[in-house]
Amino acid sequence: MTPYYSAEMGVSLELPEDWHEGESNRERVSYSCTSEGPYHPQLLIQRVPLSVWERVSDGCDRLAEELLQLYPPPLEIRDRYPLTVDNFPARVDIFSFYDPEFNRQVTHYQACIQLPDALYSAIGIVERQFAESLLPVFEQAVGSIRFIGMGLGRTALRSDPLTQISYFNPRLGVSILIPASWSVQELQENQFQAIAPAVPELDGYHPRISCTRTIPTDKTPAGLEEAIRKSEATHRLLYSDYEILKQEQFSLGPHLAYLRQMQWSYEGTDIDLVNVQGLIWTPSSAYVFKAETLKQYEPRDVPIFEAIVKSTRIIPDN
């Protein structure tokens, strides 16, 4: 899956790398996948201002029902269920019908999403004979949607501290997912940190993870390898009991990434720390994530740190 971003729509999502962006403006963006025959699979995302509706509390249902009226009957409803997309309420309808223009049976995956100031529809279109293989692609793409520029203004599920909300930092061009109970603080132009709630038994201690953007001398994959080696050498000089617990290299869309979990203790104390470091290498910048927690909180904090790093999307400049 590869991240795509429509600056006009303020929408980021993930699709297979063989999909391509088509028409894009402030009200609509389309994506398609080249296939044999005239009927190519498509995903269309449209924005509907809330001023169109008298009431907004049931906007998803009203928009879904209005869109369903646009298709020729009879509609074969395959499934219908509620969903949350980027922490906003949504409704999904999956249905099939006969398309007279192309003389074939087609299946649509329709998601209607309600934001505070607009409704969005995301409609996946495919020939019915290929629906079983492409419906999971549509579901994953819609589930990956982030509304870039909304910051931390999430309210729909904010009461649940385990809910993941998206945060976008426009200075760094970085979008991440964090627990709803966390906060974010900008430290300087090239750095911010996400902060967990205080640990009551530790006199206000807050687990946290920071992200810093730098400009490396060598932006190639070899530059990433050298940065990893230098970082490890520095840690071994600073901490006599430094130990790597695990490490992995992977890809975040088109970008190389590295994640390492380490532990050591404060010199002259019995306080053991666990540290998570992430590196993301792009053609123009390097993004360094650093997180630290006490050893006894490793099972709770480290999976969250790692999930935040792996949720990262690099959003291109508008």
Side-chain angles (χ1 to χ4, degrees), residues 227-236 238-239 241-248 258-265 272-279 288-295 298 302 305-306:
I228 293 170
R229 287 193 293 270
K230 286 184 177 180
S231 174
E232 182 175 349
T234 299
H235 282 88
R236 292 196 181 280
L238 293 175
Y239 309 105
D241 58 349
Y242 166 79
E243 179 184 359
I244 295 179
L245 301 179
K246 68 176 183 179
Q247 55 186 333
E248 61 174 310
Y258 171 78
L259 191 64
R260 175 169 57 199
Q261 181 184 337
M262 307 161 284
Q263 72 175 19
W264 61 78
S265 60
D272 294 323
L273 298 172
V274 174
N275 185 288
V276 172
Q277 183 184 60
L279 294 172
V288 182
F289 286 85
K290 292 183 179 179
E292 184 177 273
T293 190
L294 298 174
K295 179 67 175 178
E298 175 186 352
V302 167
F305 294 152
E306 293 184 345

Side-chain angles (χ1 to χ4, degrees), residues 4 10 46 49 73 81-82 97 116 122 169 176 196 199 210 242 251 296-297:
Y4 291 80
Q46 299 187 81
Y81 53 89
F97 62 95
N169 186 290
I176 58 173
V199 180
S210 67
Y242 166 79
S251 295
Q296 61 263 41
Y297 296 109

Side-chain angles (χ1 to χ4, degrees), residues 3-315:
Y4 291 80
Y5 171 57
S6 168
E8 294 87 350
M9 290 279 288
V11 172
S12 170
L13 79 164
E14 293 181 330
L15 283 163
E17 61 182 2
D18 58 345
W19 284 63
H20 308 281
E21 182 176 329
E23 175 190 358
S24 178
N25 53 48
R26 291 182 61 86
E27 297 180 351
R28 172 188 173 103
V29 62
S30 66
Y31 304 90
S32 63
C33 175
T34 303
S35 62
E36 294 183 3
Y39 210 99
H40 302 313
Q42 296 182 67
L43 180 64
L44 309 175
I45 302 177
Q46 299 187 81
R47 184 180 189 274
V48 181
L50 281 183
S51 58
V52 173
W53 310 99
E54 294 180 5
R55 297 172 55 202
V56 299
S57 60
D58 59 349
C60 287
D61 290 329
R62 295 182 63 187
L63 178 59
E65 294 298 332
E66 181 169 299
L67 292 176
L68 289 174
Q69 298 301 315
L70 300 178
Y71 301 102
L75 295 185
E76 176 189 339
I77 304 298
R78 299 182 49 167
D79 204 355
R80 174 176 294 162
Y81 53 89
L83 189 69
T84 58
V85 176
D86 198 16
N87 209 42
F88 294 111
R91 164 178 156 175
V92 170
D93 292 87
I94 302 175
F95 53 93
S96 298
F97 62 95
Y98 174 75
D99 186 336
E101 180 180 354
F102 287 90
N103 189 29
R104 65 195 67 213
Q105 294 287 332
V106 298
T107 296
H108 280 204
Y109 175 101
Q110 174 179 288
C112 296
I113 310 160
Q114 185 162 8
L115 275 67
D117 61 346
L119 289 161
Y120 283 77
S121 67
I123 302 175
I125 305 169
V126 64
E127 285 190 66
R128 189 163 70 174
Q129 60 179 319
F130 302 119
E132 295 306 317
S133 61
L134 280 172
L135 284 176
V137 173
F138 295 143
E139 183 175 22
Q140 188 171 355
V142 170
S144 75
I145 286 177
R146 299 184 196 175
F147 295 98
I148 299 301
M150 294 295 293
L152 287 172
R154 303 291 188 257
T155 57
L157 300 176
R158 197 63 184 269
S159 59
D160 181 1
L162 298 180
T163 298
Q164 297 293 303
I165 60 176
S166 64
Y167 165 74
F168 171 60
N169 186 290
R171 291 181 182 271
L172 275 66
V174 168
S175 169
I176 58 173
L177 297 179
I178 60 174
S181 58
W182 287 42
S183 60
V184 176
Q185 178 184 18
E186 291 192 28
L187 301 178
Q188 47 190 324
E189 283 193 1
N190 67 331
Q191 186 180 60
F192 69 88
Q193 63 179 354
I195 308 168
V199 180
E201 60 270 26
L202 290 178
D203 193 26
Y205 168 76
H206 292 263
R208 63 192 66 206
I209 182 169
S210 67
C211 174
T212 305
R213 183 174 65 183
T214 65
I215 308 299
T217 303
D218 185 351
K219 303 180 183 71
T220 68
L224 173 61
E225 297 292 342
E226 181 62 20
I228 293 170
R229 287 193 293 270
K230 286 184 177 180
S231 174
E232 182 175 349
T234 299
H235 282 88
R236 292 196 181 280
L237 286 174
L238 293 175
Y239 309 105
S240 58
D241 58 349
Y242 166 79
E243 179 184 359
I244 295 179
L245 301 179
K246 68 176 183 179
Q247 55 186 333
E248 61 174 310
Q249 292 198 40
F250 54 98
S251 295
L252 283 175
H255 308 305
L256 294 175
Y258 171 78
L259 191 64
R260 175 169 57 199
Q261 181 184 337
M262 307 161 284
Q263 72 175 19
W264 61 78
S265 60
Y266 278 127
E267 186 175 357
T269 73
D270 58 356
I271 301 176
D272 294 323
L273 298 172
V274 174
N275 185 288
V276 172
Q277 183 184 60
L279 294 172
I280 301 173
W281 226 246
T282 79
S284 60
S285 303
Y287 296 83
V288 182
F289 286 85
K290 292 183 179 179
E292 184 177 273
T293 190
L294 298 174
K295 179 67 175 178
Q296 61 263 41
Y297 296 109
E298 175 186 352
R300 182 196 66 185
D301 294 340
V302 167
I304 297 176
F305 294 152
E306 293 184 345
I308 289 173
V309 174
K310 291 187 175 182
S311 76
T312 302
R313 289 188 197 165
I314 308 302
I315 305 301

